[in-house]
Amino acid sequence: MSIEVSATHALAAKALDYRAIRQDMISSNIANADTPFYKPRDISFDNALAVEKAKILNQNSPKLEMAQTNGAHIAFKEVSDSKLPTTYFRDGHMARNDGNSVDLDVETTEMSKNSIMFSALVSALKKDSAIFTNVIDASSKIS
């Protein structure tokens, strides 16, 4: 049985998971820099985290809900129940002659930014945990 420290702690832990997934995708993009017709992939990190925040804080979903304007319309059914965030192909880069559109400068920059954010999240989680450790230590000295 685990103790839920705070909603912030749970959200930061989820953000760490998504940052790790993003790091793997960027690494895959770099590894496939010479693969013909390869298109770089990425995840929609902000959207995935917004959905997780809504779940953790019991808020309404940040997605725009589909309206059913006529009773004869087929009802919308949610099919994506995956634990993984949505992936997309990153466009906007010129493809080389072999059809590959991986730009190593962009990928290494994104990897560096992602790595810094991962380290910042780890530091935040450590500080969040240290606060509760200090409270427990202080409460044991009161008696």
Side-chain angles (χ1 to χ4, degrees):
M1 178 180 194
S2 66
I3 299 172
E4 185 174 324
V5 178
S6 68
T8 306
H9 189 84
L11 188 60
K14 245 345 191 182
L16 270 180
D17 292 342
Y18 291 148
R19 287 285 173 195
I21 291 169
R22 187 158 193 256
Q23 193 79 0
D24 290 343
M25 284 194 155
I26 295 169
S27 297
S28 176
N29 291 342
I30 292 171
N32 287 297
D34 293 326
T35 304
F37 301 104
Y38 184 82
K39 306 248 183 279
R41 288 176 235 165
D42 205 348
I43 65 170
S44 179
F45 183 80
D46 295 336
N47 292 341
L49 205 56
V51 169
E52 285 301 321
K53 177 185 165 204
K55 283 182 195 174
I56 291 171
L57 300 177
N58 295 324
Q59 296 174 338
N60 292 334
S61 176
K63 295 189 304 185
L64 182 62
E65 298 295 327
M66 181 151 66
Q68 188 173 2
T69 57
N70 187 329
H73 290 162
I74 297 173
F76 177 72
K77 184 170 91 173
E78 184 72 38
V79 285
S80 176
D81 210 15
S82 174
K83 302 251 187 237
L84 298 176
T86 305
T87 61
Y88 65 93
F89 292 109
R90 199 180 310 138
D91 287 336
H93 304 292
M94 295 294 294
R96 298 187 309 242
N97 289 341
D98 64 355
N100 187 311
S101 60
V102 174
D103 184 354
L104 287 178
D105 291 336
V106 170
E107 298 302 325
T108 53
T109 302
E110 289 298 319
M111 182 175 269
S112 297
K113 287 194 303 189
N114 194 58
S115 180
I116 290 169
M117 292 301 294
F118 188 90
S119 297
L121 281 167
V122 168
S123 296
L125 280 171
K126 284 181 182 177
K127 287 186 183 201
D128 190 44
S129 299
I131 290 170
F132 291 101
T133 304
N134 290 337
V135 168
I136 292 169
D137 288 345
S139 66
S140 67
K141 294 176 184 176
I142 292 174
S143 344

